[in-house]
Structures are given as C-alpha cells and as structure tokens.
C-alpha cells in the first residue's frame, strides 16, 4: 500500500488493496514452503473514512453482494492522481491542486 493517505479516491484504494492482497499471498506462499517464516500484515495509514454506498444511496445496500459495489470500480482506468494531469496546469501537483479539483461541480 502507498505511504500516503488517499483523498477518498476509491480507485486508488481498491488498486492498493488488490496489490496488497497479491503481495500478502506471495508472502504466505513463501512462508508455507519455508515453514520457518511468520507473515505479519498491517496497514500503515487510514484512507479518510471512505465508504462505498449506504442505505441512502441503495435501499437494499445491506442485502447486496460486495461485488455489486466493487465491480464497477475495478473497471476504472485511472485513479484521481492519474486523471489529475489532464485537469491541472503544467507544473502543478495533485497535493496543491486537489482542493481545486475536489471543489469542481460534477
């Protein structure tokens, strides 16, 4: 996972979690073969309290499979950071421009 909290960027969060899962699987596979290795996996930061949906957005939220909410995010091609160059003037950084980007009406 990255060393920086994400500005509630669901694609960035999902991408990092999938990469983390893959890395943990690799470590566990090694530990099973080695039989003398302990794997400890912990988070290094929070992600801004992000949530994906609730009963206000989907009446049957608590009955829906998790895949109903995650599947559309897996189709995304860019994170907020990946999209930012096309939204910002040359030389700007995401950290400096995020307040401007996140304030744009959609």
């Amino acid at each position: 996972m990255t060393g920086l909290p994400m500005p509630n960027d669901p694609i960035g969060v999902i991408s990092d979690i999938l990469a983390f899962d893959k890395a943990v699987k690799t470590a566990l596979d090694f530990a099973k073969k080695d039989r003398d290795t302990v794997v400890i996996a912990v988070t290094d930061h929070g992600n801004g309290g992000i949530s994906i949906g609730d009963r206000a957005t989907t009446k049957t939220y608590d009955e829906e499979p998790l895949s109903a909410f995650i599947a559309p995010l897996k189709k995304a091609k860019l994170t907020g950071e990946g999209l930012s160059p096309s939204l910002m003037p040359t030389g700007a950084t995401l950290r400096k421009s995020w307040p401007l980007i996140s304030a744009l009406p959609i």
Side-chain angles (χ1 to χ4, degrees), residues 4 11 26 28 37 39 54 59 69 82 91 93 101-102 104:
L4 300 171
I11 305 309
T26 299
L28 289 172
T37 299
V39 176
D54 62 22
K59 300 285 187 237
F69 300 100
T93 65
I101 295 168
S102 61
L104 294 173

Side-chain angles (χ1 to χ4, degrees), residues 63-77:
E63 300 166 12
E64 297 291 328
L66 182 59
S67 60
F69 300 100
I70 302 300
L73 296 175
K74 287 183 170 182
K75 294 178 184 176
K77 302 293 184 210

Side-chain angles (χ1 to χ4, degrees), residues 50-64:
I50 193 170
S51 65
I52 302 173
D54 62 22
R55 289 188 62 80
T57 61
T58 305
K59 300 285 187 237
T60 58
Y61 176 76
D62 55 343
E63 300 166 12
E64 297 291 328

Side-chain angles (χ1 to χ4, degrees), residues 67-90:
S67 60
F69 300 100
I70 302 300
L73 296 175
K74 287 183 170 182
K75 294 178 184 176
K77 302 293 184 210
L78 293 171
T79 66
E81 187 172 9
L83 180 63
S84 66
S86 64
L87 299 174
M88 298 182 303
T90 304

